[in-house]
Amino acid sequence: NSLLNAGYLMSDNHMDKWRITWGVRVESYSQHIDAYDFSTKIDKTDVFTDVLPSLNISYDLSEKSKFRLSGSRTVNRPEFRELAPFQFVDFENTWTIIGNSNLIRSNITNADLRYEYYPQPGEAITAGLFFKHFDNPIENRMNDQSTPDQFIFGFSNAPSATAYGLELDIRKNLGFISANDFWENLVLGANLTLVKSEVAVDSATFGTSKSRPLQGQSPYLINVSASYTHPTTGLSLSALYNRVGHRIFIVGNNTFATTWENGRHVIDLQLGKSLFKKRAELKLTVGDLLNQPTVFYWNTNDKNSYQSGPSKVGKGN
């Protein structure tokens, strides 16, 4: 069981073109785990107190544009299944997962600088830079009990990690093309995020001193969307495209290479119809239209290689 008690203090200040929102949140978190396996009994309670400040400063360049600078402190606490020291099976991938009762929470420092432009109501063009520093990030790691016939992975804290990059986001109505209902009710959106992440590797824990990306963090993310809503019939149609770049799925050890997950193209379609004077809505969704396989691979030239590997990997390789 777990219990979270929290309180916060926030102030929102306006000064001409400036707006400053700042405050602090204090969390007291108690987590109790009582678990058994064939040889071990775990019965422990951890209590954490975290002070989480935040600051958001915005400056209005004009009625349609502004700069925004923000910083915050956040926390990532381990889940029960990540702590419980027993094995369970991931039946989708036929892997075995084991918890780690020695996990500790991860503290994250966030900073963000963003330019925002709003051409018309419902439209936005933003560009931003961001930076994150992780203390004790939690990662998937191949367990030393693994064999070629049975993969076992668990969870470990890396000493620290950083992630920084840029993000571009656009939401634009296409009514400027032609003044008719179709173009005026068609909205395009796009998002591009480029990320550089790096873990300060502990050779005693991870079997190598080479730097590598943070587990689960892709070097890029792409999202594109198009949506249309008919103004009188309430009929709507949307299409979404998503691609997440190749990323580390399981951090390797002295025996097994790091397992990478290949990037995939994903397309989703949705048809909607409002009913009963817009009091209800009926939706039909087709997800992952391309149905590309999820491919996991190793860089077998060097079991400790943390290079990105090929951007495309053949099926079954």
Side-chain angles (χ1 to χ4, degrees):
N1 61 74
S2 62
L3 178 65
L4 175 66
N5 294 290
Y8 72 92
L9 175 68
M10 186 182 74
S11 179
D12 192 359
N13 308 110
H14 295 257
M15 296 174 289
D16 193 18
K17 295 184 178 183
W18 294 88
R19 180 176 181 179
I20 303 175
T21 305
W22 58 277
V24 62
R25 177 181 175 90
V26 179
E27 294 187 352
S28 176
Y29 183 74
S30 175
Q31 186 175 54
H32 174 246
I33 182 167
D34 186 2
Y36 300 84
D37 65 10
F38 292 111
S39 60
T40 306
K41 177 182 184 299
I42 299 296
D43 186 356
K44 70 171 186 173
T45 300
D46 294 316
V47 179
F48 309 105
T49 299
D50 294 294
V51 179
L52 308 173
S54 65
L55 173 67
N56 189 311
I57 303 173
S58 63
Y59 177 76
D60 295 331
L61 296 171
S62 67
E63 293 183 353
K64 295 184 177 182
S65 63
K66 65 175 60 181
F67 274 113
R68 188 186 304 274
L69 174 66
S70 61
S72 65
R73 182 85 164 171
T74 55
V75 64
N76 178 29
R77 303 184 179 97
E79 301 175 357
F80 286 118
R81 74 184 188 98
E82 295 174 339
L83 289 167
F86 56 80
Q87 298 184 14
F88 56 96
V89 178
D90 176 355
F91 290 99
E92 182 177 356
N93 297 301
T94 64
W95 290 321
T96 300
I97 304 172
I98 186 170
N100 178 5
S101 58
N102 295 318
L103 283 180
I104 59 177
R105 73 194 188 285
S106 174
N107 292 294
I108 308 165
T109 302
N110 312 277
D112 186 280
L113 176 63
R114 185 179 300 268
Y115 170 75
E116 303 173 357
Y117 176 61
Y118 304 96
Q120 301 292 337
E123 298 181 346
I125 301 174
T126 65
L129 303 173
F130 61 87
F131 173 83
K132 296 177 181 290
H133 181 270
F134 303 82
D135 288 320
N136 306 306
I138 300 172
E139 298 185 300
N140 294 343
R141 177 178 177 265
M142 192 71 76
N143 191 277
D144 292 336
Q145 302 176 45
S146 295
T147 66
D149 297 325
Q150 183 182 23
F151 290 165
I152 303 173
F153 74 87
F155 310 93
S156 296
N157 290 105
S160 65
T162 57
Y164 58 90
L166 61 88
E167 183 178 21
L168 304 175
D169 191 88
I170 300 174
R171 178 180 172 84
K172 179 64 178 174
N173 182 283
L174 299 188
F176 66 92
I177 296 178
S178 178
N180 60 55
D181 286 346
F182 175 77
W183 294 109
E184 290 179 350
N185 293 283
L186 180 62
V187 178
L188 292 184
N191 173 274
L192 170 65
T193 302
L194 301 177
V195 186
K196 170 68 173 179
S197 66
E198 187 172 5
V199 174
V201 178
D202 180 357
S203 59
T205 303
F206 292 94
T208 180
S209 58
K210 295 182 179 180
S211 62
R212 58 170 174 78
L214 185 65
Q215 182 268 315
Q217 178 62 65
S218 300
Y220 65 87
L221 300 92
I222 302 173
N223 297 284
V224 180
S225 66
S227 61
Y228 172 79
T229 303
H230 194 276
T232 57
T233 64
L235 189 66
S236 64
L237 176 65
S238 63
L240 300 97
Y241 166 79
N242 168 264
R243 180 173 174 85
V244 176
H246 51 268
R247 55 192 174 185
I248 292 177
F249 183 71
I250 305 174
V251 177
N253 57 19
N254 289 321
T255 304
F256 291 93
T258 288
T259 304
W260 288 84
E261 179 183 355
N262 208 41
R264 297 174 68 244
H265 299 285
V266 179
I267 295 178
D268 300 326
L269 302 177
Q270 185 176 88
L271 178 66
K273 178 68 170 70
S274 61
L275 305 171
F276 308 115
K277 298 181 179 181
K278 298 184 179 180
R279 295 177 180 175
E281 187 175 16
L282 180 65
K283 291 183 178 181
L284 174 64
T285 301
V286 180
D288 198 2
L289 187 64
L290 300 178
N291 193 31
Q292 290 189 331
T294 301
V295 177
F296 300 97
Y297 65 96
W298 290 342
N299 288 331
T300 53
N301 61 313
D302 178 359
K303 68 181 179 63
N304 285 326
S305 173
Y306 291 122
Q307 299 174 2
S308 62
S311 59
K312 293 183 179 180
V313 179
K315 295 180 180 180
N317 293 339

